[in-house]
Amino acid sequence: MNRGGSSSASSCPSSLPGDGHGSGHGHSECRRVCSNCRKVLRQEKKIRVSLPLTRGPSAFIPEKEVMQANSLNERMHLLVEEYSTSGRLDNITQVMSLHTQYLESFLRSQFYMLRMDGPLPLPYRHYIAIMAAARHQCSYLINMHVDEFLKTGGIPEWLNGLEYVPQRLKNLNEINKLLAHRPWLVSKEHIQKLVKTGENNWSLPELVHAVVLLAHYHALASFVFGSGINPERDLDTSNGYRLISVSNFCACDLANDNNIENASLTSNNFGISDSLSELEALMNRMKRLQEEEEEASQEEMDTRFEKEKTESLLVFTDVFDDELVSTVDVSRYVEDPGFGYKDFARRGDLPTFRAQDYTWENHGFSLVNRLYSDIGHLLDEKFRMVYNLTYNTMATHEDVDTTMLRRALFNYVHCMFGIRYDDYDYGEVNQLLERNLKVYIKTVTCYPERTTKRMYDGYWRQFKHSEKVHVNLLLMEARMQAELLYALRAITRHLT
């Protein structure tokens, strides 16, 4: 696989592949050129703005760290041989291989929903993946599934856009849009509309298969952007169909990321000593919380959840002033592109989803397994795997119980989607997740296409890259489970 960095003639001239150096003036000039690039994109739809790539599978993680994990991991290569849907060791798999236990669960469930017997024909599965990835302008996943769509016998004309696909696929647009950005709005009426009698209706098993695919690829887009996954270097055309370029952010954003002062994320420039003190402070807070014996009253627990939900409104993620532009290639798969995430906490008229009333374990699992045989077991294994995964380390510290931290990450994602656990003290979220990390979590989960290397580097500066990848896995699975809970609850209400 060719991983050398190259720059196209249309890239921003003040950025170089893998160049982390540049003056403030250079950045200003680069931003001006960025704006010009986007103007050209709007005027000349055929021009492709390529992204100069760092070496390796991730723009955020040094290649040697991923390559070292791969070279030592024979189990990972066996898994790819058995469960790869693309017949290749792709960049997502290479980065996930930092956690082989989880990777096995991920590959098995993805292989099942894409390749094994199920309600939907194979081309439909890949086209739904394309539709889901397009909600976040995720060129990486779109390219992957354009290729797979054609290999499994998909009709090439469908790749010209949604107006060329069967009406029943078009009918998924609404639930795709809602699940991706505001899943709390999915209702039994949406389900009834899709399954009503008629030539374009969906059976319930087909719809569950589609919903699982949509949630999977929305969440996987979060992982792709959160981990800085680079495009596959040897993909340019698929069966004669030219694949799209990565152009939802300009090259210079990546190349100069480390040198841009980020006033919105940090109030000072952290040095090594600050990073170490940050780590020690987190360790101390965890220790203090573990030692506290006094339980908060239910009233206090209610107050802490509402406070956390409201404070999530203050976590801003708009780092760049430039408008995020969807390429014409991506927009062909999207209906209502302006529809995006809006903070659940702003919607005072919406009741909080009380997790105890509809849980994955007691309700979602059995429903999905009944309508789409065995996928429930595979998803359940994957959720449990990532939630319980631990090496009992935190940066340089060993023998650490990280349960509290993993739970805070998972529950904070659900909080942003309006899901509350009555028996969880949301005061822990404020204690354990510092502001830079909250900004990162909200961006990766709600607006993944806006994620930058600066955000990735801006939290937990002393932690290993493998630990940050673990964070991304937790965010991905928490997001997928949240989407599924809302969709499956709506299906349950339709059935009752």
Side-chain angles (χ1 to χ4, degrees), residues 45-296:
K45 297 299 187 183
K46 294 180 181 177
I47 290 179
R48 298 171 39 163
V49 179
S50 300
L51 179 69
L53 304 174
T54 55
R55 288 177 59 81
S58 167
F60 297 174
I61 305 170
E63 181 184 23
K64 62 182 181 181
E65 295 206 19
V66 180
M67 293 303 104
Q68 184 179 19
N70 290 348
S71 63
L72 296 174
N73 206 327
E74 184 181 347
R75 173 69 180 147
M76 186 267 293
H77 291 280
L78 292 173
L79 288 173
V80 171
E81 282 183 25
E82 189 171 359
Y83 295 117
S84 171
T85 55
S86 62
R88 54 185 294 138
L89 181 60
D90 59 51
N91 290 344
I92 291 177
T93 305
Q94 291 189 64
V95 172
M96 282 188 185
S97 71
L98 292 167
H99 300 282
T100 315
Q101 277 183 289
Y102 169 82
L103 177 63
E104 180 166 5
S105 290
F106 173 85
L107 289 177
R108 285 178 64 205
S109 62
Q110 183 171 264
F111 186 83
Y112 187 85
M113 64 181 78
L114 290 175
R115 285 281 187 265
M116 300 298 283
D117 288 344
L120 293 176
L122 297 183
Y124 263 58
R125 305 181 195 193
H126 294 290
Y127 202 88
I128 289 168
I130 292 168
M131 291 172 65
R135 287 306 320 178
H136 290 304
Q137 307 170 34
C138 189
S139 308
Y140 179 93
L141 291 174
I142 293 171
N143 284 344
M144 178 180 287
H145 289 283
V146 162
D147 189 45
E148 292 298 307
F149 172 77
L150 292 170
K151 285 180 180 174
T152 55
I155 299 171
E157 187 183 23
W158 293 11
L159 299 175
N160 291 327
L162 292 174
E163 62 267 36
Y164 296 89
V165 304
Q167 185 61 43
R168 65 198 305 262
L169 267 177
K170 281 188 204 173
N171 291 347
L172 282 181
N173 275 320
E174 185 71 8
I175 200 166
N176 180 27
K177 178 179 78 173
L178 295 179
L179 282 176
H181 307 296
R182 305 176 206 172
W184 52 86
L185 296 179
V186 176
S187 66
K188 71 175 182 180
E189 285 74 26
H190 292 110
I191 306 304
Q192 288 167 348
K193 191 174 177 182
L194 287 164
V195 301
K196 68 180 180 181
T197 304
E199 61 178 330
N200 297 314
N201 74 305
W202 291 75
S203 69
L204 276 176
E206 286 175 332
L207 183 57
V208 167
H209 193 170
V211 161
V212 169
L213 285 165
L214 291 172
H216 176 78
Y217 281 100
H218 296 152
L220 191 54
S222 286
F223 182 83
V224 168
F225 286 113
S227 302
I229 300 295
N230 275 329
E232 303 293 333
R233 292 307 307 267
D234 52 353
L235 284 181
D236 189 38
T237 61
S238 177
N239 292 359
Y241 187 89
R242 191 178 68 169
L243 301 180
I244 62 179
S245 62
V246 180
S247 48
N248 29 323
F249 54 93
C250 193
C252 48
D253 290 345
L254 184 62
N256 292 311
D257 224 350
N258 282 328
N259 303 289
I260 304 168
E261 184 180 359
N262 187 2
S264 67
L265 291 182
T266 55
S267 56
N268 64 341
N269 293 320
F270 286 87
I272 295 296
S273 59
D274 293 312
S275 298
L276 287 168
S277 61
E278 178 190 47
L279 173 62
E280 296 304 327
L282 176 58
M283 292 287 294
N284 290 335
R285 288 195 296 273
M286 286 178 61
K287 185 177 180 182
R288 187 171 66 250
L289 286 168
Q290 288 166 345
E291 290 172 351
E292 286 179 356
E293 294 183 3
E294 184 179 350
E295 287 190 15

Side-chain angles (χ1 to χ4, degrees), residues 23-35:
S23 65
H25 171 75
H27 173 61
S28 174
E29 175 68 15
C30 194
R31 297 278 292 195
R32 184 179 64 75
V33 176
C34 264
S35 179

